[in-house]
Amino acid sequence: MPSTSDTRSSTGSPLAAPAPLASLLDLVPVVPVVVVDELDTAVPIARALVEGGLPVIELTLRTPVALDAIRAIAAEVPEIVLGAGTVVTPAQAREAQDAGAQFLVSPGATPALLEAMLATGLPFLPGTATVSEVLAVLEAGLSEMKFFPAEASGGAPFLKAISSPVPAARFCPTGGITAASAASYLALPNVVCVGGSWLTPADAVRAGDWARVTQLARAAADLRGA
């Protein structure tokens, strides 16, 4: 992760370094990537994930209730490590922090977005999909990043291919990964964890079947030792 001496804003002034990400990413083998459409499902989803042994959630900013969902989880499920995903603008980085997010995830990384996420002081994963983007993030002083959309961008074979020429980069691949394919990613030396949306199936959420979410989370938590 960057230090204040190697990461500067567009004005040339140093930015505060975010907290280290390694301990966060090492918490779980699968980070649940969650879209909340109905606010009243946010807290039950978070509790079900914690019960299943995955005390981390990336709640995406894709719906009108997303920020309120982050606020609700922050207030009612303090034992979960709460992140905001699909951060695509500098304003969203600030809004997510104000809502209670403890880390940020973006699908890509423009200079302005990188600067805004750095300015929050929160741990974050900037999105990358090509070697050039990986190198740009490394040049910004960051070694932890998202690989998205993983399956569409070459999947596990791509990450395996760049592990030797770009050994400093560590990834959380997300996008198209399933319970069946997760292990192939986790076996790679440059993959810390994966992001998965299969843990909160839409039909289970609609039915309030939190036991199923817990069961899926428990199976995902066991992937670390698989």
Side-chain angles (χ1 to χ4, degrees), residues 96-107:
Q97 181 182 36
D98 291 344
Q102 296 166 282
F103 68 95
L104 306 172
V105 184
S106 66

Side-chain angles (χ1 to χ4, degrees), residues 19-193:
L21 267 173
S23 59
L24 168 66
L25 294 184
D26 288 333
L27 282 175
V28 292
V30 181
V31 175
V33 179
V34 179
V35 178
V36 170
D37 292 299
E38 301 294 335
L39 182 57
D40 61 0
T41 65
V43 168
I45 287 172
R47 287 176 174 159
L49 293 171
V50 170
E51 185 176 348
L54 292 181
V56 178
I57 185 171
E58 177 192 329
L59 200 152
T60 64
L61 302 181
R62 300 180 189 179
T63 68
V65 302
L67 288 173
D68 285 335
I70 289 174
R71 293 185 186 97
I73 293 172
E76 299 187 45
V77 196
E79 62 270 33
I80 202 165
V81 180
L82 173 59
T86 321
V87 176
V88 297
T89 68
Q92 284 182 325
R94 295 187 294 269
E95 290 166 352
Q97 181 182 36
D98 291 344
Q102 296 166 282
F103 68 95
L104 306 172
V105 184
S106 66
T110 66
L113 186 56
L114 277 175
E115 181 174 328
M117 290 192 291
L118 277 165
T120 66
L122 297 176
F124 68 94
L125 289 174
T128 59
T130 68
V131 175
S132 292
E133 291 171 357
V134 170
L135 293 177
V137 169
L138 287 172
E139 286 175 0
L142 301 154
S143 60
E144 309 280 351
M145 59 198 80
K146 177 177 180 174
F147 177 56
F148 175 85
E151 286 291 286
S153 300
F158 175 89
L159 291 175
K160 182 178 181 180
I162 68 169
S163 62
S164 292
V166 196
R170 302 178 77 216
F171 297 95
C172 176
T174 303
I177 299 173
T178 67
S181 64
S184 65
Y185 284 91
L186 292 169
L188 299 175
N190 55 351
V191 170
V192 188
C193 60

Side-chain angles (χ1 to χ4, degrees), residues 4 7-15:
T4 53
T7 304
R8 292 179 175 269
S9 71
S10 57
T11 61
S13 59
L15 290 168

